Amino acid sequence: MTPSNSLRRRASRALLFAISLSLAACGGSGNPDSGGSTSGGGSSGGNGQQPGPDLFLNVLPPGSNGNSAGGLGLPVEGLPVLRYPDNFVDQLSLYGNLSYARPGLQATPCNPPLAIDSHAAASNLACNYFKAEGLEPVDGTVVSTVNLTAPTGGNVTLRRDRWGVPFITGDTRQAAMYGFGYASAQDRLWLHDVLRSIGRGTFSEFLGPAADTFDFDGNIAVVAGYTEDELSAMVELARTRFGALGELAIADLDSMVAGINAYIATLSGPALLQRPPEYVSLRLPGLGDGVLPFPPRPWTRNDIVASAILIQSIFAVGGGNESTSELLLQRLDPAFTAGATTIPRAACEFWRDVRHASDP
């Protein structure tokens, strides 16, 4: 597939996103002829303690811990088993304990736990099983702070709360993006390396020949399998197609990449134990001496694009049949064409009546 065709495919997906917004309006209680209604919430303000509908909560998979070594860490003297690093599985426990929630979960009072040790395994309070998701860490929960200077100028502050979640502030947008790349490598350097290889269809070359790595490469070859020149062309097409917005996106990419590479450069001396152990423990056949090179080759724009292609091509192939629904609406009322901002009432009501949904 040529770069221009791939860009068209992504543009078509953007159009499908717009269509899905229209269909969401059609499926809601708003007036279909007015495009539906929207509602918004306030901000949690970062203190994580405000009750009510404007409190944002979340719970995420393991990995946000600032420890790129990950895994089980090193043996701890006196313990019979290896100990997980701090914050490695606490959110997993938070979510998993929903299995033990008491009947009749209540929305209030809503005081989400500030760390895993303030979470109750069994509770009838819904907020017990999630954590606050503010733009600032909850007051008094910052446990570490890293100060950086971005290559483009400007200071960056990377704070982590008691959940290990990074909060990044920068003097400029590019300084903040640099901190974002740095923090993401702190959390998931090995995963970054894996994803950029899978996204290129070169996982078996990276990790060694095996049935699973060949399967990954084969799946990507069917839906993507771009060359380096094509990956580079996608970036340049963003610049020419979207103008100032494209330039900003490329600047963001460059700052993020610089942050990833800056973190890798710290993994020596006292920080040697922060290196992902997979680089020395995964000794698959076909890798020469069986040890993956460290440090890995520097990150580039193309690595970010390759990772995004993997996510888009494999993990985002589901969807809600938006294009099929659009075709149905167009057959019901030809006035609903590309670029339409309102949905004809009769067509919308018919679509709502025949779609696959729960109908009490």
Side-chain angles (χ1 to χ4, degrees):
M1 178 174 291
T2 64
S4 58
N5 284 339
S6 68
L7 184 58
R8 291 191 195 101
R9 185 176 68 176
R10 282 154 180 74
S12 68
R13 284 172 176 163
L15 175 61
L16 288 180
F17 174 72
I19 293 169
S20 69
L21 294 180
S22 298
L23 295 176
C26 191
S29 57
N31 181 347
D33 289 323
S34 65
S37 61
T38 60
S39 62
S43 168
S44 66
N47 64 13
Q49 299 297 303
Q50 295 177 334
D54 60 345
L55 176 65
F56 288 89
L57 304 172
N58 74 0
V59 62
L60 298 171
S64 185
N65 60 356
N67 176 8
S68 55
L72 293 175
L74 296 175
V76 177
E77 185 177 355
L79 294 181
V81 296
L82 297 178
R83 182 181 67 86
Y84 285 111
D86 293 339
N87 302 125
F88 191 70
V89 294
D90 49 5
Q91 292 190 61
L92 186 63
S93 302
L94 193 70
Y95 180 78
N97 282 343
L98 273 169
S99 301
Y100 307 107
R102 295 174 181 170
L105 279 177
Q106 300 177 12
T108 57
C110 188
N111 294 304
L114 302 182
I116 193 63
D117 56 8
S118 58
H119 157 73
S123 170
N124 67 338
L125 299 178
C127 285
N128 173 67
Y129 299 97
F130 300 88
K131 63 180 182 60
E133 186 191 17
L135 294 179
E136 289 286 331
V138 177
D139 293 341
T141 64
V142 174
V143 296
S144 69
T145 302
V146 175
N147 295 308
L148 307 167
T149 301
T152 55
N155 297 317
V156 184
T157 302
L158 198 168
R159 295 169 292 168
R160 290 186 183 268
D161 65 9
R162 293 171 63 190
W163 291 106
V165 174
F167 293 82
I168 301 154
T169 56
D171 289 343
T172 66
R173 177 188 178 97
Q174 295 312 315
M177 288 302 299
Y178 174 79
F180 171 71
Y182 190 98
S184 70
Q186 273 188 316
D187 285 342
R188 298 176 174 89
L189 176 59
W190 168 252
L191 182 60
H192 278 347
D193 215 353
V194 167
L195 293 185
R196 67 175 177 173
S197 295
I198 298 178
R200 283 181 169 86
T202 60
F203 195 35
S204 56
E205 177 184 334
F206 171 68
L207 201 54
D212 289 338
T213 58
F214 286 141
D215 283 345
F216 273 112
D217 291 346
N219 289 335
I220 283 293
V222 172
V223 295
Y226 299 108
T227 67
E228 289 301 309
D229 288 343
E230 288 175 324
L231 295 176
S232 298
M234 290 179 194
V235 177
E236 291 306 315
L237 279 170
R239 187 197 306 274
T240 57
R241 180 65 63 90
F242 300 110
L245 184 60
E247 293 285 356
L248 181 60
I250 292 173
D252 288 347
L253 274 181
D254 289 342
S255 295
M256 177 184 175
V257 164
I260 294 174
N261 289 328
Y263 175 70
I264 294 172
T266 69
L267 297 179
S268 61
L272 188 65
L273 294 179
Q274 295 295 313
R275 292 184 180 182
E278 290 87 350
Y279 285 101
V280 294
S281 63
L282 292 180
R283 303 170 183 270
L284 297 185
L287 285 178
D289 60 4
V291 178
L292 291 165
F294 196 94
R297 61 177 175 80
W299 256 255
T300 66
R301 297 171 181 172
N302 284 5
D303 293 324
I304 307 302
V305 177
S307 299
I309 286 172
L310 167 67
I311 302 301
Q312 184 68 32
S313 299
I314 293 183
F315 300 134
V317 296
N321 296 318
E322 291 90 349
S323 58
T324 303
S325 294
E326 182 205 17
L327 292 174
L328 172 60
L329 285 170
Q330 289 177 341
R331 289 293 298 273
L332 293 172
D333 192 324
F336 186 65
T337 59
T341 58
T342 60
I343 305 174
R345 176 179 292 276
C348 183
E349 290 180 348
F350 182 86
W351 176 85
R352 187 185 300 164
D353 189 45
V354 300
R355 68 183 178 133
H356 182 73
S358 176
D359 185 356

